[in-house]
């Protein structure tokens, strides 16, 4: 078992921890009512194990299932969950257990933080992205018609249980999505993690990869919990990535695929500005390809420029770009948006 603390959350990583989750949850909270929130795909595989575990120990378990997919991350779904919590007379001392990917952890975190101004929360992330990213660091959110994750809070689960064996049932495309974020973590803050992803067998090193990715996020989140400064480094590949996702209407590219292209394209630009060492780009490209992630943008350049300009991260005509000097060395580079758009025109 590997353990780590991130702000107020205890994080445990161990194979098969899902089938032993009851005892770890009982170490963190007293016996109470529990609402397990999951999606229908994940529930088919893991719900019985988790609810049986909790009931065995004396928890009173209720379940709320959502449809899989981003469209469930809405106010409408949140409201249905609030109603379910109310009808089950759940109070602040009771518990929400999220069981699923990033959609489930984000939505559950938002509901947990707002119901009765904060009810206890345990995450059991089952997708790779949720294990190393969504369930870590306390950000949650729902989407509005104006954009993704526009409404949310910072709220920390007391416990995060990560079972690498759950990845065995994850569809391959979802898996690669998470790998893009792990590569990102290696790029901005952990050379060794990058090397493991680059040279070693993924499954033989899965716990190490999860722990190292979480540690990169932990280090940035703990000095910048509310996302004003160094946490920005976690956006490496995301300025272009978000724009690409948007152009593709969130259908053509998954988040991970878009981030993979974003990391490669931004590094191409920073290399041309002499801000990145020359060995970096070929290594980045190769590691992305190893995991079947795309590295090149196929959308028309003018659409990309427009989408980047509309991104909320442009402040007073300047953009805070996240670049890497070398593998493991991320930094923030402030650039006038017009200059950046010129680079997009000429280099991509
Ligand atoms: P993400 O975690 O990438 O943010 P989702 O929460 O939408 O996004 O999860 C991605 C998809 O993978 C969903 O369809 C979800 O039901 C499915 N999923 C998540 N974890 C598992 C798992 N361990 N086994 C099988 N399917 C899973
Ligand atoms: Zn991301």
């Amino acid at each position: 078992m590997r353990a780590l603390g991130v702000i107020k959350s205890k994080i445990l990583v161990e194979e098969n921890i899902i089938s032993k989750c009851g005892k770890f949850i009982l170490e963190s909270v007293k016996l109470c009512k529990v609402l397990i929130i999951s999606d229908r795909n994940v529930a088919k595989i893991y719900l019985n194990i988790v609810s049986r575990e909790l009931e065995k120990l004396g928890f009173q378990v209720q379940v709320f299932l959502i449809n899989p997919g981003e469209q469930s991350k809405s106010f409408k779904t949140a409201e249905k969950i609030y109603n379910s919590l109310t009808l089950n007379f759940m109070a602040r001392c009771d518990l929400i257990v999220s069981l699923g990917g990033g959609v489930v952890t984000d939505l559950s975190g938002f509901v947990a933080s707002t119901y009765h101004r904060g009810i206890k929360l345990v995450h059991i992330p089952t997708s790779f992205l949720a294990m190393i990213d969504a369930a870590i660091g306390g950000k949650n959110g729902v989407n509005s018609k104006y954009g993704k994750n526009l409404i949310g809070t910072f709220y920390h689960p007391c416990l995060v249980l990560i079972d690498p064996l759950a990845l065995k049932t994850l569809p391959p495309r979802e898996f690669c999505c998470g790998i893009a974020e792990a590569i990102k973590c290696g790029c901005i803050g952990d050379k060794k993690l990058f090397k493991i992803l680059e040279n070693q067998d993924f499954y033989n090193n899965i716990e190490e990869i999860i722990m190292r990715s979480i540690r990169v996020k932990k280090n940035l989140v703990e000095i910048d919990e509310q996302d004003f400064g160094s946490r920005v480094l976690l956006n490496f590949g995301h300025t272009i990535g978000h724009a690409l996702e948007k152009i593709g209407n969130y259908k053509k590219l998954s988040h991970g695929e878009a981030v993979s292209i974003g990391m490669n394209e931004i590094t191409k630009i920073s290399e041309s500005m002499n801000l990145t060492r020359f060995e970096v780009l070929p290594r980045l490209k190769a590691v992305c390809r190893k995991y079947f992630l795309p590295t090149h943008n196929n959308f028309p350049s003018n659409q990309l420029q427009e989408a980047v300009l509309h991104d909320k991260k442009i402040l007073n005509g300047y953009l805070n770009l996240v670049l890497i000097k070398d593998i493991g060395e991320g930094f923030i580079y402030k650039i006038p948006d017009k200059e950046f758009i010129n680079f997009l025109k000429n280099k991509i």
Side-chain angles (χ1 to χ4, degrees):
M1 149 120 32
R2 298 174 190 236
L4 192 73
V6 179
I7 309 187
K8 292 157 198 140
S9 312
K10 183 164 142 193
I11 297 169
L12 302 177
V13 184
E14 190 179 62
E15 287 202 346
N16 229 357
I17 205 166
I18 289 186
S19 6
K20 300 176 251 168
C21 64
K23 93 173 187 212
F24 296 108
I25 294 176
L26 197 53
E27 281 169 13
S28 288
V29 302
K30 294 201 184 99
L31 276 182
C32 61
K33 291 181 188 160
V34 181
L35 183 72
I36 302 175
I37 302 174
S38 190
D39 77 26
R40 292 180 207 285
N41 294 340
V42 174
K44 259 185 231 152
I45 316 173
Y46 301 104
L47 179 61
N48 278 345
I49 311 171
V50 173
S51 55
R52 238 188 291 126
E53 260 292 291
L54 291 169
E55 277 167 351
K56 194 172 78 186
L57 293 172
F59 288 98
Q60 274 175 267
V61 179
Q62 302 288 334
V63 174
F64 191 98
L65 293 186
I66 64 168
N67 291 325
E70 197 67 30
Q71 72 286 351
S72 288
K73 234 175 88 171
S74 65
F75 253 134
K76 219 172 168 180
T77 323
E79 196 184 359
K80 286 184 188 157
I81 304 176
Y82 294 136
N83 292 342
S84 167
L85 289 161
T86 311
L87 292 173
N88 286 308
F89 302 103
M90 289 181 70
R92 203 181 289 167
C93 55
D94 293 319
L95 173 68
I96 285 179
V97 171
S98 79
L99 175 67
V103 166
V104 171
T105 55
D106 275 7
L107 175 68
S108 305
F110 179 69
V111 169
S113 78
T114 43
Y115 181 75
H116 284 215
R117 298 190 183 82
I119 174 173
K120 290 202 182 76
L121 174 67
V122 169
H123 283 320
I124 308 181
T126 58
S127 74
F128 191 40
L129 189 81
M131 290 177 189
I132 63 167
D133 193 22
I136 311 295
K139 271 192 186 178
N140 58 53
V142 293
N143 303 328
S144 89
K145 66 176 178 183
Y146 298 108
K148 279 173 75 173
N149 295 322
L150 282 184
I151 298 138
T153 69
F154 290 96
Y155 191 71
H156 299 279
C158 51
L159 180 66
V160 182
L161 298 176
I162 299 178
D163 187 344
L165 280 186
L167 298 176
K168 296 267 182 214
T169 58
L170 191 66
R173 194 171 177 211
E174 303 298 341
F175 206 151
C176 290
C177 209
I179 292 179
E181 299 284 354
I183 294 172
K184 176 198 79 180
C185 289
C187 283
I188 59 172
D190 187 345
K191 198 155 66 176
K192 175 90 193 290
L193 169 61
F194 190 93
K195 280 192 181 152
I196 295 172
L197 289 163
E198 202 175 28
N199 303 319
Q200 314 269 328
D201 177 76
F202 185 85
Y203 279 106
N204 288 343
N205 293 278
I206 184 70
E207 280 192 18
E208 180 84 5
I209 292 169
I210 291 172
M211 287 306 286
R212 283 185 169 271
S213 304
I214 294 176
R215 220 173 275 131
V216 169
K217 186 158 187 185
K218 168 191 159 84
N219 291 341
L220 296 170
V221 164
E222 286 187 339
I223 41 178
D224 178 27
E225 195 181 339
Q226 304 281 316
D227 202 1
F228 292 117
S230 58
R231 196 167 174 154
V232 173
L233 284 183
L234 292 164
N235 283 336
F236 177 54
H238 282 62
T239 303
I240 292 177
H242 281 150
L244 294 171
E245 276 185 282
K246 204 163 150 192
I247 305 171
N249 258 331
Y250 298 96
K251 290 195 181 83
K252 290 216 172 102
L253 292 170
S254 71
H255 179 67
E257 289 162 348
V259 168
S260 173
I261 297 172
M263 291 190 291
N264 280 276
E265 297 289 21
I266 198 70
T267 304
K268 205 163 38 171
I269 291 175
S270 67
E271 188 188 70
S272 75
M273 294 161 86
N274 282 330
L275 295 168
T276 300
R277 290 184 55 171
F278 282 108
E279 312 84 81
V280 171
L281 188 58
R283 285 178 70 190
L284 177 58
K285 214 168 244 169
V287 79
C288 291
R289 288 201 180 128
K290 176 178 171 189
Y291 298 103
F292 308 102
L293 287 162
T295 58
H296 181 68
N297 165 48
N298 288 321
F299 292 106
S301 169
N302 60 333
Q303 277 186 27
L304 177 62
Q305 293 155 36
E306 208 172 293
V308 167
L309 276 178
H310 277 96
D311 196 80
K312 60 183 188 296
K313 287 175 195 77
I314 292 184
L315 282 175
N316 306 324
Y318 281 87
L319 244 162
N320 277 329
L321 287 185
V322 182
L323 309 177
I324 52 174
K325 211 175 288 172
D326 201 345
I327 301 292
E329 283 180 54
F331 69 102
I332 297 165
Y333 184 78
K334 201 170 169 179
I335 185 169
D337 55 6
K338 291 202 176 68
E339 196 178 320
F340 183 57
I341 293 300
N342 270 336
F343 275 111
L344 288 182
K345 257 188 215 155
N346 301 324
K347 298 286 171 199
I348 294 190

